[in-house]
Amino acid sequence: MRLSVSGTYSAGKTSTATALASYTGLAFAPARPIREILPDAVPGKALAEVTPAEYIQLAVRRHVGRVQNEARLGARGAGFVSDGSSLQEWIYAAARVRFGMDPAAPAATAPATAAMGFFAEAVDQLGHAMRQHVKETYDGFVHLRATAAAVKPGGHRRMHPDFRAFCDDMLLRALEDLDVDYHVVEGTRPERLEKIVELFGLPVVRSADEAIELAARAYEAIDWRLEGERAQSAASLVAAAAGGAK
């Protein structure tokens, strides 16, 4: 079973996918966060500051990373649980076509510039390729609805509710249009895990509580700093090293 846990920003994808992998014994297929990709791809910029062309680079880098993980795990023949899918890379870009490049402060409509016009055309073509990839890659989807209660304070990037709602609705429409096996799952974390196992006939190798605890430890180990904080930390390390060398 090649299963994707679908959902938009802060819907609980990573924690649910990690716990589900532990619960069922399936491999976990991660997606490299944009916050990790950005300092290498577009040094010195926050995500809200990137140009449409730079965002295309970010989306392609993340898609390629997913494909590599999926191919590696799929070759083993044992199946996997994926943290999202490449539908997100396409839809997060499509939302920027609709609202503009800053997801925390969306405009009524994105500015009608030549760059945004080309961006819209490029995103449409990326979506065509990524939808094909998704349909060919996964056996099923679990979609987690975005709710206000799911947003956590702290290290997560600020996201406007309209932007998140647009992405959530577009994800569900894409799953429907692709005619893939998908289920919207709600409830507490244990309820979600038990429901997913029931829906897809997955094995269970440990208790739901134990799987959630293991997932919580893995989640706490993730570096949730945004790109600006990472850049400041890196600059501090360089300065300290230079000072120590004197």
Side-chain angles (χ1 to χ4, degrees):
M1 168 63 70
R2 299 167 300 172
L3 185 65
S4 170
V5 177
S6 170
T8 187
Y9 298 95
S10 300
K13 289 187 307 299
T14 300
S15 58
T16 298
T18 307
L20 184 63
S22 294
Y23 189 45
T24 61
L26 293 174
F28 175 62
R32 191 180 178 201
I34 288 291
R35 60 177 57 83
E36 291 183 2
I37 300 172
L38 190 59
D40 292 331
V42 191
K45 283 192 175 183
L47 184 59
E49 298 170 336
V50 302
T51 66
E54 290 167 341
Y55 193 85
I56 290 172
Q57 181 201 170
L58 292 169
V60 170
R61 280 180 180 247
R62 197 169 191 224
H63 169 67
V64 169
R66 285 190 189 277
V67 172
Q68 291 173 331
N69 285 331
E70 292 162 356
R72 174 176 53 83
L73 296 173
R76 298 177 183 176
F80 55 81
V81 177
S82 178
D83 182 3
S85 76
S86 290
L87 288 179
Q88 289 166 225
E89 277 65 81
W90 162 53
I91 287 170
Y92 291 172
R96 285 167 169 80
V97 170
R98 167 66 177 80
F99 292 108
M101 300 304 294
D102 185 356
T109 56
T113 64
M116 288 301 291
F118 177 78
F119 185 45
E121 294 181 8
V123 169
D124 186 60
Q125 293 302 309
L126 285 175
H128 179 67
M130 290 177 179
R131 289 195 300 271
Q132 285 185 332
H133 166 74
V134 165
K135 188 171 178 64
E136 294 167 358
T137 298
Y138 301 102
D139 301 311
F141 284 79
V142 173
H143 184 78
L144 308 178
R145 268 292 195 181
T147 63
V151 181
K152 300 178 179 62
H156 291 284
R157 192 184 309 281
R158 291 187 303 116
M159 207 65 54
H160 194 278
D162 290 348
F163 193 95
R164 293 176 69 242
F166 178 91
C167 293
D168 190 55
D169 290 343
M170 195 170 176
L171 273 168
L172 281 171
R173 289 200 306 273
L175 294 175
E176 190 69 32
D177 291 343
L178 288 172
D179 192 26
V180 295
D181 183 18
Y182 81 92
H183 301 271
V184 177
V185 175
E186 299 176 317
T188 64
R189 287 184 181 177
E191 289 170 346
R192 287 180 176 185
L193 296 183
E194 291 165 5
K195 184 63 174 177
I196 295 167
V197 163
E198 177 185 348
L199 287 168
F200 293 98
L202 300 175
V204 172
V205 299
R206 57 176 49 87
S207 72
D209 288 342
E210 185 180 2
I212 291 168
E213 175 61 28
L214 290 171
R217 293 178 195 170
Y219 196 80
E220 289 172 359
I222 295 173
D223 184 353
W224 290 111
R225 291 176 301 165
L226 299 183
E227 57 279 347
E229 296 170 305
R230 290 169 184 270
Q232 291 171 7
S233 178
S236 297
L237 289 173
V238 170
K246 293 179 180 179

